[in-house]
Amino acid sequence: MPFTLSPEKIAAARALAAAVSPGQRVCLTTHVNPDGDGLGSEAGLVRLLRDRGVDAVVTNPTPTPSRFSFLFDDIPGVDRTGEAVKELRKADLIIVLDISDLGRLGMLGETVRDRGVPVACIDHHVSSGVLPPGPRYLDAAAAATGELIFEVSLANGWPLTIEAACGLYVAILTDTGGFRFSNTRPRTLRVAAELLEAGVDPEQIYLEVYARAPEGRPRLFAEALQTLVVEPDLGLAWVTVPPGAIERLGVSSDDLDGVVEFPRSIEGIRMALLFREVSQGRVKVSLRSVGNVDVAAFAKAFGGGGHTKAAGLALAGSLAEVQATILTAARDYLGSDGAR
Ligand code: AMP
Ligand code: MN
Ligand code: MN
């Protein structure tokens, strides 16, 4: 089957392209603690725009984890995250990637809200949020925002360079867990095939993203996995990052990527959780599910969000308090009809 785009998608992609013109200053941004999809999408789109003469830069609310910095290596100075507010004040257009909500833009939320320029958005999250008006390219069925940027480039006839393709490949590779999760559709693999045809070397990307970890990463996994608790009757399992472990081991929160897959991997588990204190009195919870348990709906009830099988939330309180609240709610949820 050839790769097709609906007339609505073509129109949306063209409307987005019409909002950018050569010489304009465009800021790309994504959610706090940017992941491979947010950063890979930025790396792809920033090149597609620069190739059109647009002065595009990356301005994120929190720093680029070291394993993704290779994405911007060949365009020094493009990652302006350190001066994000200053850069946003100069922007003619802001493009928000891999999230549709001001609330997830951290300390940049207010600047983006009050800036008074169009705010475009390309995203695949189910939960829509609030953003200032601007062009939208949204599809919750897409595996990754990177898949949608490929579509935007295709609809506009923008040539895909190998550098842009590498960014989009990182986006899709990471959000599909290496093409393993249920969001991996035939269409996802068709896009990935196009990216390989554009010159992406999958082994090189694999090595950059998954095989350059600091020694502290497996040590952090070891400490977190020691805390595993399993409640087989309900199909609930969770792990907790020991307070201070990230700092003590000299790693970053990005190095926790994948740890929640271990409780999720246990036979019979339907909901897996990872708890971690992100600051004094604030706890982040990562949620993953198996089967038809909708963790996005669960997270939403606590102000979080995400996807049906991968979601997150953050609550005020001590680690023990947040665990008590969330575990009680999770037990109720798994025992209720909604999660069957
Ligand atoms: P994570 O657990 O950080 O890997 O995130 C899994 C999914 O949930 C991603 O799609 C995130 O964008 C989303 N997510 C994580 N934390 C939050 C939050 N506090 N609010 C809304 N969505 C979140
Ligand atoms: Mn993301
Ligand atoms: Mn994503």
Side-chain angles (χ1 to χ4, degrees):
M1 205 214 295
F3 192 89
T4 53
L5 279 173
S6 68
E8 294 76 27
K9 278 195 156 179
I10 292 172
R14 294 197 178 151
L16 202 139
V20 281
S21 35
Q24 265 188 341
R25 186 92 174 153
V26 174
C27 283
L28 308 185
T29 192
T30 185
H31 55 77
V32 288
N33 302 321
D35 55 15
D37 189 21
L39 293 161
S41 293
E42 289 178 335
L45 187 58
V46 88
R47 287 180 173 85
L48 289 164
L49 294 175
R50 284 180 164 229
D51 291 346
R52 328 234 68 67
V54 177
D55 184 9
V57 292
V58 170
T59 53
N60 292 333
T62 52
T64 303
S66 58
R67 72 175 164 139
F68 293 119
S69 61
F70 80 97
L71 287 168
F72 305 114
D73 271 356
D74 63 320
I75 11 180
V78 76
D79 185 357
R80 315 281 299 163
T81 293
E83 300 95 332
V85 171
K86 205 172 95 193
E87 291 292 334
L88 285 165
R89 290 205 180 114
K90 290 192 284 187
D92 301 304
L93 171 75
I94 297 166
I95 307 182
V96 178
L97 299 173
D98 196 37
I99 196 63
S100 309
D101 191 23
L102 285 172
R104 294 269 290 139
L105 294 178
M107 46 90 97
L108 302 182
E110 261 178 50
T111 311
V112 172
R113 184 192 65 199
D114 299 336
R115 184 61 188 75
V117 294
V119 176
C121 178
I122 307 177
D123 183 32
H124 69 133
H125 284 82
V126 268
S127 40
S128 59
V130 177
L131 281 181
R136 298 284 179 265
Y137 196 91
L138 309 173
D139 180 1
T145 300
E147 201 179 305
L148 299 178
I149 293 171
F150 173 83
E151 293 184 356
V152 170
S153 72
L154 186 72
N156 287 294
W158 293 345
L160 200 62
T161 59
I162 177 171
E163 292 80 11
C166 280
L168 303 186
Y169 186 84
V170 167
I172 298 169
L173 180 78
T174 53
D175 256 23
T176 56
F179 304 104
R180 286 176 301 167
F181 299 155
S182 60
N183 56 358
T184 308
R185 305 172 299 163
R187 193 176 178 81
T188 315
L189 296 178
R190 285 196 177 94
V191 174
E194 295 283 341
L195 300 176
L196 295 192
E197 270 163 8
V200 171
D201 174 349
E203 190 190 20
Q204 185 228 331
I205 301 282
Y206 162 74
L207 292 173
E208 290 282 4
V209 175
Y210 294 113
R212 303 218 194 284
E215 178 184 331
R217 177 168 143 94
R219 296 197 185 283
L220 178 67
F221 269 51
E223 290 195 20
L225 295 179
Q226 283 284 341
T227 71
L228 175 69
V229 182
V230 183
E231 292 186 355
D233 293 348
L234 284 170
L236 180 64
W238 68 93
V239 293
T240 309
V241 179
I246 291 181
E247 298 73 18
R248 176 166 41 77
L249 294 168
V251 292
S252 73
S253 56
D254 175 63
D255 288 304
L256 282 169
D257 181 42
V259 74
V260 71
E261 296 306 323
F262 285 87
R264 187 198 218 178
S265 71
I266 301 164
E267 182 164 23
I269 291 307
R270 296 192 296 146
M271 189 164 168
L273 308 174
L274 165 71
F275 294 94
R276 113 180 128 84
E277 202 171 43
V278 279
S279 57
Q280 199 67 38
R282 192 155 183 85
V283 176
K284 175 172 168 150
V285 189
S286 287
L287 307 102
R288 299 292 185 271
S289 69
V290 176
N292 52 6
V293 175
D294 182 354
V295 282
F298 179 90
K300 205 168 173 215
F302 294 95
H307 310 280
T308 318
K309 293 186 177 179
L313 63 92
L315 284 185
S318 69
L319 200 49
E321 285 162 355
V322 173
Q323 270 185 331
T325 306
I326 295 298
L327 291 172
T328 303
R331 289 179 190 115
D332 284 350
Y333 193 64
L334 288 171
S336 76
D337 286 347
R340 279 181 206 283

